[in-house]
Amino acid sequence: MDIKKLQALAVDALEDVKAQDIQLFDTVHLTSLFDRVLIASGTSNRQTKALAASVRDKVKEAGGEIVSVEGEATGEWVLVDLGDMVVHIMQPAIRAYYRLEEIWGDKPVKLGAAKRTTKKVSEDAEDKPKRAPRKTAAKAAPVEVTHDMMAIQTTLDDEPKKTRKPRTVKAADAEAKPARKTAAPKAAKVPTGARVKVAATKTATASAKEAAAKRPRKKAAE
């Protein structure tokens, strides 16, 4: 099997079971035993075993060779030997202790997740049924005009239309508003020290005459 197809199958199998921190490395320049090393993490013994089984079954269905599967008894570190590629499925503590990335991680390889996503979308689109064309609303049938309908319409047309009554004007509104008062003219300013003549009133004149009558007349000089 082609190495690119083999690594794509293994990565897909790991992603199907929610593997964590998947990393792929090219080891052609380091050893002649295998061309790729694939490392992934599982959170529990059960998940590591399920990841290993997923890789094994998917490669076998595609016609690939399964050399051996080791470590399924404990589930802490399961190794799947695919001939040209070795898959290491480890729990986080075991992976942090052995640090296989420092040994085989000289030349990382892209996983091609975009290619897998595009393929999955196209497959889902093929599985979905095509949307039925939108139905258009049926046209309403023409209404047949009968003699009864014509008679009703004629009766409605002959009825006198109600006329709107004129608005009544209230007496309070009819009264004219009082005219606006004009301001009184301002008194002229009088300069300081000047004498001002004031017109005598009737009361003042009468008082003066009364005072003059009471005065004793002086006798003529002897």
Side-chain angles (χ1 to χ4, degrees), residues 169-178:
V169 180
K170 295 181 180 180
D173 297 338
E175 294 179 359
K177 294 183 180 179

Side-chain angles (χ1 to χ4, degrees), residues 190-210:
V190 179
T192 306
R195 293 182 179 180
V196 180
K197 293 181 179 182
V198 179
T201 61
K202 292 181 180 180
T203 305
T205 303
S207 298
K209 287 181 179 181
E210 185 179 355

